[in-house]
Amino acid sequence: MTTLSAATRSWFSLLRRAHAYSCHRFLPLRAPHLHVQLLPPAGNTRSRAFTCSVRSLKSSDVFDGGRWTGGATEEDEEFMEDSEVEELFQQQVPSGTTGWQHRVFIVQPDVKWGHRKQHLTTAELMLAEAVGLVNTLDNWTVVDKMVLSTKTPEKKKIFGKGNFLVLTEKIRQTSGITAVFVNVDRLSPLSEREFEDMWGVKVFDRYSVVLQIFRCNARTKEAKLQISLAEIPLLRSRLKNEFAHMDQQGGGARYIGGSGETLFEVQQRLLKERETKIRSALEKLRKKRLLLRSQRKRSEFPVVSVLGYTNCGKTTLIKALTSDSVLQPRNQLFATLDVTVHAGQLPSHMTVLYVDTIGFLSQLPHQLIDSFSATLEDIKHSDLLIHVRDISHPETENQKVNVLNVLKNLEIPDSLMSSMIEVHNKTDLLDNYQSPQVDTVCLSVSALLQRGLDALKSAVEEKIVQSTGKLVLDVRVELSSDQLSWLYREATVQDVKVNAEDGSALVQVIISTAAYGRYRKLFT
């Protein structure tokens, strides 16, 4: 039998606990170079109000006075304990990420032509975003950076032979580097290994850096499970490369104790079991999210999803619209990973629910988006979309295109897309801002300084009335009955004109078709 390192056996032990795998044989596991960092359990963190976590998704919850409150509950589906989620989240940390201090050299490929060439941005702006990603992480600093042209970004070394030698020499001559960030979507395991062997430091791509930012910002069960799921392809590809390396050295494909499985097959099977467990847990959370969504519909509160490129100011805008003190906006990429819901009032006193969504980013692999697909499903079931743009950002047009592409991939209904309100945020950072002449509704605001909010609320109200089919009616009521109190409870009362002579009042209301049907049945 092949003798493997203690680290190899340690990795198997972690996977075995995660998947409750039991076997009477001795099963050594992991390749020597596949480092896994086992971290202590994270402390309990209180989720923000309205976070769509398991605790808030009771089937009989009602919405009262601006927050969800629990009523009589039905028995929830069996779900894994907090400790199980935390173990899954912590036991497979990709190497060189959490807890590490990195001095990073960033290299930005500049594709000169072909289908991979970026036409709405430049290599310099893409490099600036890469710097922002690194600076988001605590204890990570940018030591140096470099833009390097390439004709063949799909090749193993990305760059031509000459430019690759120039890059290698530059990295070797820069002291203090502990990691290199190659700003491409994904590096193949083979490219990653070759780069690390050549440069002698850890190598990251865009996928692994963004995933690390997600990991640092995860607070709820759902976010941690989504990130654990997103890490599976990364672990699987690296595992494949490690065992290919072992095969080259001999002994990598040995069978385990006569079981008929190779070491690599055991690893792949355990990763598959881990993935199945995570997907099952996320599916249960998805069903609970459906309960919350149906609860909103039964309460007839219109839902407005606020979306946009990461760090465009979505949370700040929602806080300005709702005055929700629970919200604590941060000037940070991907500060919001969980869908949160916040109540606000429109000029007519109609209550709407603003949904804060995860920020978008360009050049993200589909596996990462797929992991958060259930979270993004809320967008499809909204009554209105607000697309927030950081109009002060030099890449604001490119960011808009990326957001619209993500929405297209999510298959958002055409009616929802055509009614979307575009909000130009952070206008206070521009000296001579002028709103463009566009067909869609486009409003300028400064969420931080609370400028332009009245016009935005009015536009939201107009769109909501159109999209939900609510009726704007003048209803005559008898003051001696409880008609008026019923309307205040079930509809949005805009104006009341009392006629003291006959004890009646003319009430202007915004009311749903269903509620008006109930009113007529009760009082006509």
Side-chain angles (χ1 to χ4, degrees):
M1 180 178 291
T2 305
T3 302
L4 299 178
S5 66
T8 299
R9 293 190 296 273
S10 172
W11 190 71
F12 167 71
S13 177
L14 293 175
L15 275 178
R16 181 171 52 187
R17 289 204 307 272
H19 299 276
Y21 180 82
S22 61
C23 183
H24 64 279
R25 301 182 182 91
F26 169 68
L27 295 178
L29 245 264
R30 122 176 153 85
H33 299 288
L34 187 59
H35 302 293
V36 176
Q37 184 180 5
L38 181 61
L39 299 178
N44 292 331
T45 304
R46 178 177 295 179
S47 300
R48 294 182 294 177
F50 305 104
T51 299
C52 297
S53 62
V54 176
R55 295 185 182 86
S56 65
L57 300 184
K58 306 295 184 182
S59 59
S60 58
D61 282 0
V62 295
F63 195 80
D64 179 30
R67 67 178 61 246
W68 289 97
T69 58
T73 63
E74 297 177 4
E75 186 175 353
D76 288 338
E77 283 190 77
E78 184 182 353
F79 186 75
M80 63 177 63
E81 298 293 332
D82 288 357
S83 58
E84 292 181 81
V85 175
E86 195 63 38
E87 183 178 13
L88 280 170
F89 184 60
Q90 297 292 0
Q91 71 188 192
Q92 287 292 312
V93 183
S95 62
T97 54
T98 301
W100 286 58
Q101 298 183 10
H102 275 305
R103 292 168 53 82
V104 184
F105 184 100
I106 302 176
V107 54
Q108 174 63 56
D110 182 12
V111 182
K112 291 302 184 181
W113 55 74
H115 70 282
R116 290 178 176 264
K117 178 176 174 59
Q118 294 284 340
H119 296 282
L120 294 175
T121 186
T122 65
E124 288 72 20
L125 290 173
M126 294 168 68
L127 177 62
E129 184 173 80
V131 171
L133 289 172
V134 172
N135 288 337
T136 299
L137 293 165
D138 293 336
N139 302 322
W140 287 40
T141 56
V142 178
V143 176
D144 204 351
K145 52 188 183 291
M146 184 179 190
V147 175
L148 201 59
S149 63
T150 177
K151 301 176 185 177
T152 55
E154 69 281 354
K155 298 296 184 182
K156 183 174 65 174
K157 291 186 177 180
I158 299 177
F159 306 99
K161 184 177 180 180
N163 277 350
F164 186 77
L165 290 175
V166 170
L167 174 61
T168 299
E169 189 65 23
K170 176 71 172 176
I171 292 172
R172 289 175 175 175
Q173 289 178 355
T174 305
S175 61
I177 294 176
T178 62
V180 174
F181 174 19
V182 183
N183 192 22
V184 297
D185 302 7
R186 284 289 301 272
L187 288 171
S188 70
L190 193 58
S191 296
E192 182 181 332
R193 171 177 288 281
E194 188 156 331
F195 288 165
E196 289 182 353
D197 289 344
M198 182 70 69
W199 300 333
V201 295
K202 182 65 185 173
V203 175
F204 296 103
D205 53 22
R206 195 174 179 87
Y207 184 87
S208 53
V209 170
V210 171
L211 200 55
Q212 172 60 9
I213 296 172
F214 281 15
R215 175 171 276 276
C216 292
N217 290 337
R219 296 292 180 269
T220 63
K221 283 183 178 181
E222 187 168 22
K224 291 179 179 181
L225 287 169
Q226 287 166 329
I227 292 164
S228 297
L229 180 63
E231 287 171 347
I232 294 290
L234 193 64
L235 293 167
R236 184 173 285 128
S237 62
R238 289 179 177 174
L239 182 68
K240 183 177 181 180
N241 190 50
E242 292 294 340
F243 275 89
H245 180 69
M246 288 180 64
D247 286 341
Q248 293 174 1
Q249 297 180 343
R254 299 285 181 88
Y255 290 94
I256 306 301
S259 66
E261 286 186 294
T262 65
L263 191 61
F264 174 69
E265 289 170 342
V266 172
Q267 305 301 327
Q268 289 282 56
R269 177 164 55 80
L270 293 179
L271 274 177
K272 181 64 177 177
E273 290 173 6
R274 170 185 166 87
E275 180 180 6
T276 300
K277 182 175 183 179
I278 295 172
R279 288 190 183 278
S280 175
L282 284 172
E283 176 61 20
K284 291 176 182 177
L285 281 172
R286 189 188 69 83
K287 292 178 180 178
K288 293 177 186 294
R289 186 186 296 282
L290 288 175
L291 288 175
L292 178 60
R293 191 180 298 140
S294 64
Q295 193 66 51
R296 295 177 197 155
K297 292 298 182 183
R298 286 200 299 271
S299 300
E300 296 183 351
F301 290 111
V303 176
V304 181
S305 284
V306 182
L307 51 91
Y309 207 81
T310 182
N311 206 31
C312 67
K314 299 183 300 297
T315 304
T316 304
L317 179 61
I318 293 175
K319 183 170 185 176
L321 291 171
T322 64
S323 301
D324 191 340
S325 59
V326 174
L327 283 167
Q328 297 298 326
R330 290 178 287 166
N331 184 21
Q332 187 182 44
L333 301 177
F334 300 112
T336 300
L337 289 185
D338 300 290
V339 170
T340 59
V341 184
H342 310 267
Q345 282 200 327
L346 299 178
S348 64
H349 307 295
M350 183 195 307
T351 298
V352 296
L353 304 181
Y354 293 100
V355 179
D356 196 1
T357 62
I358 183 175
F360 299 163
L361 186 72
S362 64
Q363 294 180 286
L364 276 186
H366 67 86
Q367 295 101 324
L368 198 53
I369 296 174
D370 288 348
S371 299
F372 286 82
S373 59
T375 301
L376 296 173
E377 264 186 10
D378 282 310
I379 297 174
K380 298 170 66 173
H381 298 278
S382 306
D383 297 301
L384 179 66
L385 304 181
I386 295 180
H387 175 197
V388 184
R389 292 175 57 187
D390 177 359
I391 204 65
S392 68
H393 198 283
E395 284 194 284
T396 183
E397 290 297 333
N398 186 45
Q399 291 179 353
K400 175 181 177 178
V401 170
N402 279 291
V403 169
L404 295 180
N405 284 338
V406 173
L407 294 178
K408 181 180 179 180
N409 292 334
L410 290 174
E411 299 180 347
I412 304 298
D414 292 339
S415 59
L416 200 53
M417 290 294 295
S418 62
S419 65
M420 182 166 58
I421 297 176
E422 183 176 301
V423 173
H424 291 188
N425 190 27
K426 304 187 183 181
T427 54
D428 54 296
L429 300 179
L430 297 175
D431 294 330
N432 299 306
Y433 169 78
Q434 291 185 341
S435 179
Q437 299 298 319
V438 293
D439 295 334
T440 56
V441 176
C442 182
L443 299 171
S444 60
V445 305
S446 170
L448 187 63
L449 302 182
Q450 299 196 5
R451 295 175 183 167
L453 299 184
D454 290 341
L456 176 57
K457 289 179 180 179
S458 297
V460 169
E461 182 171 282
E462 180 181 348
K463 292 284 187 179
I464 285 294
V465 171
Q466 293 174 2
S467 66
T468 60
K470 288 184 179 293
L471 307 173
V472 181
L473 301 174
D474 290 328
V475 180
R476 187 168 295 281
V477 302
E478 299 295 329
L479 296 177
S480 58
S481 73
D482 61 351
Q483 289 172 280
L484 185 57
S485 61
W486 190 96
L487 289 173
Y488 268 109
R489 186 171 62 251
E490 300 292 335
T492 301
V493 175
Q494 293 185 292
D495 186 38
V496 178
K497 295 179 180 178
V498 176
N499 187 338
E501 293 182 359
D502 62 1
S504 68
L506 187 63
V507 184
Q508 187 180 62
V509 296
I510 299 176
I511 188 169
S512 70
T513 303
Y516 186 53
R518 294 196 301 272
Y519 173 83
R520 294 186 63 179
K521 185 176 181 179
L522 286 170
F523 300 109
T524 299

